[in-house]
Structure formats: C-alpha cells, structure tokens
Amino acid sequence: MTNTSGAIGAVRACASIWGAVALAASGFLANPAFAQCLGAVLQPPSALTIKGGPTALDAGDLNGDGVIDLAVVLADRNAVAVMRGDGAGGFGVPTEIRVGTKPSSVTIGDVNGDGANDSVVVNTESNSVSILLNDGHAGFATTTDIPVDGSPVFVAAVDLNKDGALDLAVPAARDGTVAVLLGDGSGGFSAARRFGVAANPRWVAAGELAMAETEESSNVDLAVVNADTNNVSVLRGDGTGSFSDPFNLPVGVFPVAVAAGDLNRDRKTDLVVANQGSDNVSVLIARPGGGPIEQQYEAWLGPSSLATGDLDSDGNVDVVVTNPDAKTVSLLFGDGRGALSTPDKVAVPMSATFAAMRDVNGDGKPDLVLAAPQANAVAVMLNACLPPLSWWVRRGAALLTLAAILILPWFWRSKRHK
C-alpha cells in the first residue's frame, strides 16, 4: 500500500513539476523578443508584371469562388485591373476597367447587397469616386462616377449610419476635409458631405475609437492622418453618418497612413500611424476618458504605407510598413500589450509603395501583397512563419507530462518485481 501511494505521489509530483516548467516557459517566452517565427516570416517576393504604374490595391473574392482576387489601381492608365486568384497565391492576367483620371485608391466591398463584392475607386485628378458594380463573375460592366471635390486620395468603405449598407469615407488632400457618402444599399450614394480635418489629409481608418477625453460609444468614428500638420484628426460619429468637429492628436513627421486595431487586447480600438518624414510608426493606445498614450517605434526609411494582421500566429496585432526608398518592408511584431518590436527588415527589390495583408493561398495565415509602380509589378510574399518558440515549449511540456504519467507507473512496477 505504501509503495502504491509512493508511485502515485511520484507521478503527481512529476506532473506538477512539468506543469510549472510549462507555465514558467510560457510566461518567459511571452516577451515580444521571443514571440516571433522560427525561421523566415515571409517567402521572397514573387513578382507579377502589370503595366500602368500600380500604386494601390485591395484583395477580396470578386468572382464568388471563395478565393482571394486582386483589384489594382493603375494610375498611369486611368484604370483598375482585376486579377483572379488561383487559391495557391498566384494571380491571373489582369483585366482592365477604365475609371477616372489618376486613380489613387481602391476598396472592395458589397455596396449593393447582392452578395458579390464590388469595387470603389478614388480618382484624384478628376475629383470623383467610381462605383464598379460586380456581376458576380468579376465583371464590372456598370460604372458610376460621383463627384468628390478637393483632390480625393483614399477611400474606406464601412457602415457609418448603422443601416447595414456600406458608406464611404474619402479624404480630400487639397481642401483639408474628409467626405462622407452614405450608401443606399443598392449601389447608390448620397452627395458628398464634408467634414473639416487639417492640412493635406492622406488616409482614413474607421472604428469605435476611444481616443477622446469622453466616454466610449458604439458608433463608428473616423481617424484621418494629416501630412502637413503632423497629426491625426479623430471625428466622433453620432451613428447617423454625421461627425463631430475633429480633435487632433500629434504624431510623427509627415504621417501618410493609419490603421485601426486592438494592439493591447483590451477590446478597445487603437491606432497605428506611418510617419514618412520621421521614419517611424506612432502607436496610439486608447484610454477612454483620459486621452491616448503615444509611443513611437523605428520603421526604417520613408515609410509609405502600412498594413496590420497577425503574421506570427501568436494572437497579437503585427504591423508591416513599406519602405520604397530602402527597397524593404519592415515587420514590427506586437506583444499584445501595445508595444512593437524593433523592425525586421525584409528586402523587396522592386521598391513597393503599398501593402495589403490577406490570406491569398488559403492556409489560414495572412500573406503580403505589394504594389510597386516603378517596377510595374505586383508582388506576393507568402507567409512562411512556423509557430513561435512558446508554442513548441507549451506542447513539448504537455507531451512530457503525459509521458511521465504513463511511464512512471510502469517504471515503479518493473522496479518492484526485480
């Protein structure tokens, strides 16, 4: 009886020890210096030639086959090109659709409620937005242009007035405003209503932002980066498609891009800003009632765009920044507490100026799609990340604990019968 109790106690002790090891290792490896990938994060870029100066793009299923396709802005050809995906990270020959003069931005979304993703393109020189309605097979025979004065440069599609239809938010660089066009759910949009921001707005992000010294709300707010005034304008939404006067948050020098996401896992929306003039990224952590906390992180030379997603499968938001002058992209890994790692600089020979992060090969991990106008190319970098070291340690400790539970009784019995 005593020997049996001793064996059980030994098993329990072993299990407890291995459990403690696993817990300690997991806590240690939660440090952002370790919570990255084993080996390369991204495969080398695979370039696809597409003439016409591809300056921006978006990714989504355009022909209803469940595979990610691309809509690519061709600024030099006054067109947007559709490239159908093959589900393995490759894309077909581009099909061009004419839009306005000097298009600069595109977004994909179902604006008419028929279940097929449409495309919306901003045309900077012709001061308009082109609505391209999809026939369900990546065909865009119906195109409508809506005036948006003031040199529009970017577009985001989001439901701003809670009616279930996508609306548009469009920064206009020349007149320092963001234009809001409310969707009717059938592919039509209201005339642009303008809200003042600051000088040279370049990009907009939307979300339930807790950036002001006021209480949170469930309405969609807008964050607009203003390159010439080195700040972000936050406009509080009222849930009807109207917005408050902006309050401005200082960031780095010449901010050109902004993204919204929960960087510290507190279920509140934070902001990430790419600062082209100061070669860094600003992270604004939301604090309802107290104003945001800003931290700046190195991003490398002249960042031109950014994208967010979980590159290393650790559940935290990571940031990718394009650095065309340095012919690199910078990968900044999030630690889940609002901080970013030092940049991992990955060579991109074709000087990419724009990045989007999507799972283009269906493996459940976000890949990187880049636009490179000088090289007349779109580049795809597939995610090659193996799980971080903490993942292997947790599973290794669990396996060792199980092995101890199974082997120790056998060991005790064999010793007793000798």
Side-chain angles (χ1 to χ4, degrees):
M1 192 72 170
T2 304
N3 288 339
T4 302
S5 300
I8 293 172
V11 171
R12 288 176 176 170
C14 184
S16 298
I17 290 170
W18 281 115
V21 169
L23 183 63
S26 298
F28 175 69
L29 291 168
N31 188 291
F34 294 91
Q36 296 179 15
C37 303
L38 296 178
V41 181
L42 297 169
Q43 293 182 17
S46 174
L48 309 168
T49 299
I50 177 169
K51 295 181 180 179
T55 53
L57 55 84
D58 199 5
D61 182 8
L62 293 173
N63 60 348
D65 64 354
V67 172
I68 294 296
D69 310 303
L70 300 180
V72 184
V73 171
L74 304 179
D76 295 341
R77 297 173 73 93
N78 299 329
V80 62
V82 173
M83 304 174 70
R84 298 191 184 194
D86 62 8
F91 294 90
V93 176
T95 300
E96 292 187 19
I97 301 117
R98 293 291 175 181
V99 289
T101 308
K102 286 297 179 186
S104 55
S105 177
V106 62
T107 189
I108 291 174
D110 182 8
V111 301
N112 63 347
D114 64 353
N117 280 323
D118 309 300
S119 295
V120 180
V121 182
V122 161
N123 308 301
T124 300
E125 286 193 6
S126 55
N127 292 301
S128 65
V129 172
S130 295
I131 312 299
L132 285 69
L133 297 183
N134 192 346
D135 64 6
H137 305 285
F140 297 90
T142 303
T143 301
T144 303
D145 289 343
I146 302 173
V148 179
D149 292 333
S151 298
V153 290
F154 189 82
V155 60
V158 64
D159 183 6
L160 298 173
N161 60 351
K162 300 182 179 181
D163 65 352
L166 288 179
D167 310 304
L168 305 178
V170 182
R174 191 179 67 238
D175 65 0
T177 63
V178 58
V180 171
L181 295 81
L182 298 181
D184 63 9
S186 299
F189 289 87
S190 67
R193 183 180 177 189
R194 298 175 174 283
F195 298 89
V197 284
N200 195 8
R202 301 289 291 270
W203 199 298
V204 62
E208 297 176 15
L209 305 176
M211 292 288 164
E213 295 185 4
T214 57
E215 295 299 320
E216 294 179 85
S217 76
S218 61
N219 300 323
V220 176
D221 310 309
L222 298 178
V224 182
V225 288
N226 306 297
D228 289 352
T229 49
N230 302 329
N231 57 21
V232 179
S233 293
V234 177
L235 297 86
R236 301 278 289 178
D238 66 359
T240 70
S242 186
F243 292 87
S244 68
D245 291 335
F247 60 93
N248 297 324
L249 304 171
V251 288
V253 179
F254 206 80
V256 293
V258 60
D262 182 6
L263 273 74
N264 60 347
R265 293 187 168 194
D266 64 352
R267 300 183 180 180
K268 297 177 178 63
T269 304
D270 312 303
L271 295 175
V272 187
V273 178
N275 304 306
Q276 191 171 84
S278 49
D279 300 330
N280 60 12
V281 165
S282 293
V283 173
L284 298 163
I285 299 297
R287 286 194 310 162
I293 301 172
E294 187 212 4
Q295 294 288 335
Q296 294 187 355
Y297 300 89
E298 178 194 355
W300 203 224
L301 299 177
S304 59
S305 75
L306 59 78
T308 58
D310 184 8
L311 280 173
D312 54 1
S313 303
D314 64 354
N316 301 325
V317 175
D318 308 311
V319 178
V320 174
V321 179
T322 53
N323 309 300
D325 292 343
K327 295 187 176 182
T328 63
V329 293
S330 294
L331 314 182
L332 294 87
F333 295 92
D335 67 353
R337 299 188 292 271
L340 299 176
S341 68
T342 55
D344 181 2
K345 306 177 188 74
V346 181
V348 180
M350 64 283 300
S351 295
T353 60
F354 188 93
M357 206 183 298
R358 299 288 191 279
D359 178 13
V360 300
N361 63 348
D363 66 353
K365 297 184 291 187
D367 309 299
L368 201 59
V369 187
L370 305 169
Q374 291 184 357
N376 282 313
V378 166
V380 178
M381 302 180 75
L382 296 179
N383 194 322
C385 183
L386 292 174
L389 190 56
S390 57
W391 187 93
W392 297 103
V393 168
R394 290 188 186 100
R395 281 145 188 81
L399 288 174
L400 287 171
T401 302
L402 178 61
I405 292 172
L406 295 174
I407 292 172
L408 276 180
W410 172 84
F411 178 77
W412 173 79
R413 284 194 300 270
S414 65
K415 291 287 287 183
R416 190 179 63 174
H417 287 99
K418 282 185 178 180

